[in-house]
Amino acid sequence: MRPLKKFSQNFLTNPFYQKKIVESLHLKTDNCVVEIGPGKGALTQHLIKSEAQRIMVIEIDPRMVETLQEKFQDQIEIINQDVLKVDFCRLSCGKRLKVVGNLPYHITSPILFHLIDYHRCIEQAVLMTQKEVARRVCAKPGSKDYGILSVITQAYAQVEYLFEIKRGNFFPVPAVDSALISVLFFRQVEGIANLELFRKIVRSAFNYRRKTLKNCLSRIFEEKVLNSLDQSFLKKRPEQLTVEDFKHITNLIDKALRDETTRH
Ligand code: SAM
């Protein structure tokens, strides 16, 4: 079976890491687990040995689906679909889901944002991504990796950089090294009145990361709305602001926008 580039098919060949990734999920008997992109079953073969009560896998490539059916039969439920179209809340079975995957790297960010959209139904995701992306997800303010992925993910989850895996552990060998991250989703996102506005502000701020917040946000908000923010925030660059700062800024702007609409 020829690995397809369009599906980012780089298979994890080292048995030590295959097992270690599944162990990082700490599965218990009442867990339902969903694997994204099982491929030929490198991780799935360890999932079926775990205590999990239900194993679902989402795979886009029909050739892989056939292999998985032969190999695992009724031990797993196979969803032959694009993961970005899957409603994770429909898969959850009483308890919030555990999600695992050696992700197709060309769509890592869309998958992460898709999981964030379903954060209420997911307890934890253990994800293998390109090392640089893993660093960005887990980055803290002030570092060069800190940006949209860090702030948005960390507003919804507690993230942890688990370990790195060198490119030689995959076939075909990719052009990048990888790292495993744990994303422990909060049941509820505290302290943000308007989540859509929060995402809009974070995205706009980091579109011009070298400029001050005032300069970035003046492209989308009127001056009188920005005046609701403290000068100490406006003078800073986005990369200096914490997740809590972004929440606070969102709430002030949200209030200013609402005051404006009631005035008119
Ligand atoms: N889990 C296997 C392993 O570790 O060897 C395969 C990982 S490989 C990096 C990514 C897998 O995701 C491939 O099996 C690929 O076919 C699948 N895939 C790619 N795009 C997908 C999508 N949009 N939805 C679901 N699966 C996808």
Side-chain angles (χ1 to χ4, degrees):
M1 224 189 304
R2 197 168 50 86
L4 294 178
K5 233 183 173 161
K6 68 169 179 175
F7 291 144
S8 298
Q9 288 176 346
N10 298 96
F11 301 104
L12 180 62
T13 50
N14 186 327
F16 172 77
Y17 286 123
Q18 295 169 349
K19 191 159 177 257
K20 197 167 169 194
I21 292 170
V22 173
E23 282 170 358
S24 305
L25 270 170
H26 302 294
L27 291 168
K28 302 200 184 76
T29 41
D30 56 353
N31 281 138
C32 290
V33 58
V34 182
E35 184 184 353
I36 300 171
K40 291 184 275 184
L43 306 181
T44 326
Q45 61 182 339
H46 295 282
L47 288 177
I48 60 162
K49 289 185 214 146
S50 77
E51 290 188 32
Q53 61 157 289
R54 195 169 160 202
I55 299 158
M56 293 161 271
V57 303
I58 306 169
E59 174 58 60
I60 201 166
D61 185 345
R63 303 173 311 158
M64 300 294 156
V65 169
E66 211 174 294
T67 306
L68 292 164
Q69 270 162 347
E70 270 171 32
K71 233 185 207 173
F72 301 110
Q73 306 205 350
D74 60 1
Q75 298 180 92
I76 61 171
E77 294 163 53
I78 305 174
I79 302 159
N80 183 198
Q81 216 180 337
D82 175 354
V83 62
L84 298 176
K85 302 216 170 90
V86 173
D87 176 342
F88 277 75
C89 285
R90 291 191 71 175
L91 304 181
S92 64
C93 40
K95 212 172 171 231
R96 291 195 300 159
L97 296 166
K98 291 261 190 176
V99 175
V100 66
N102 171 17
L103 297 185
Y105 289 1
H106 68 294
I107 48 168
T108 301
S109 297
I111 291 176
L112 198 53
F113 287 121
H114 190 69
L115 296 178
I116 286 173
D117 285 340
Y118 288 102
H119 71 98
R120 280 182 204 85
C121 305
I122 303 171
E123 178 190 345
Q124 184 189 20
V126 167
L127 308 171
M128 171 97 84
T129 72
Q130 182 181 333
K131 190 171 79 178
E132 288 70 20
V133 177
R135 284 203 178 140
R136 276 161 49 203
V137 171
C138 301
K140 295 291 169 208
S143 84
K144 70 170 175 34
D145 294 320
Y146 188 64
I148 297 170
L149 265 187
S150 339
V151 179
I152 296 185
T153 315
Q154 291 172 34
Y156 286 83
Q158 187 184 323
V159 296
E160 195 182 345
Y161 193 91
L162 296 176
F163 54 84
E164 294 179 2
I165 305 184
K166 294 270 180 240
R167 63 194 77 184
N169 293 291
F170 298 85
F171 178 81
V173 178
V176 291
D177 293 324
S178 299
L180 193 73
I181 53 169
S182 161
V183 183
L184 205 55
F185 287 104
F186 306 132
R187 203 177 277 272
Q188 247 179 334
V189 179
E190 303 286 346
I192 314 178
N194 184 338
L195 279 168
E196 209 177 306
L197 183 66
F198 173 77
R199 289 202 197 190
K200 182 174 167 183
I201 289 171
V202 174
R203 284 183 195 279
S204 310
F206 283 104
N207 272 341
Y208 306 93
R209 58 185 297 137
R210 295 269 147 239
K211 308 231 180 229
T212 63
L213 188 69
K214 181 168 186 182
N215 194 311
C216 301
L217 295 187
S218 62
R219 293 159 203 263
I220 52 168
F221 298 117
E222 289 178 26
E223 176 125 20
K224 49 190 166 189
V225 171
L226 287 188
N227 284 342
S228 64
L229 301 180
D230 202 281
Q231 276 303 318
S232 64
F233 280 135
L234 291 172
K235 278 194 228 145
K236 284 191 179 170
R237 289 208 305 255
E239 62 198 33
Q240 298 172 297
L241 299 165
T242 65
V243 176
E244 288 307 311
D245 290 338
F246 275 108
K247 286 184 182 181
H248 185 60
I249 289 165
T250 304
N251 292 342
L252 291 174
I253 292 183
D254 186 46
K255 182 170 181 309
L257 287 172
R258 276 189 283 118
D259 288 349
E260 271 298 299
T261 34
T262 43
R263 208 169 291 145
H264 291 295

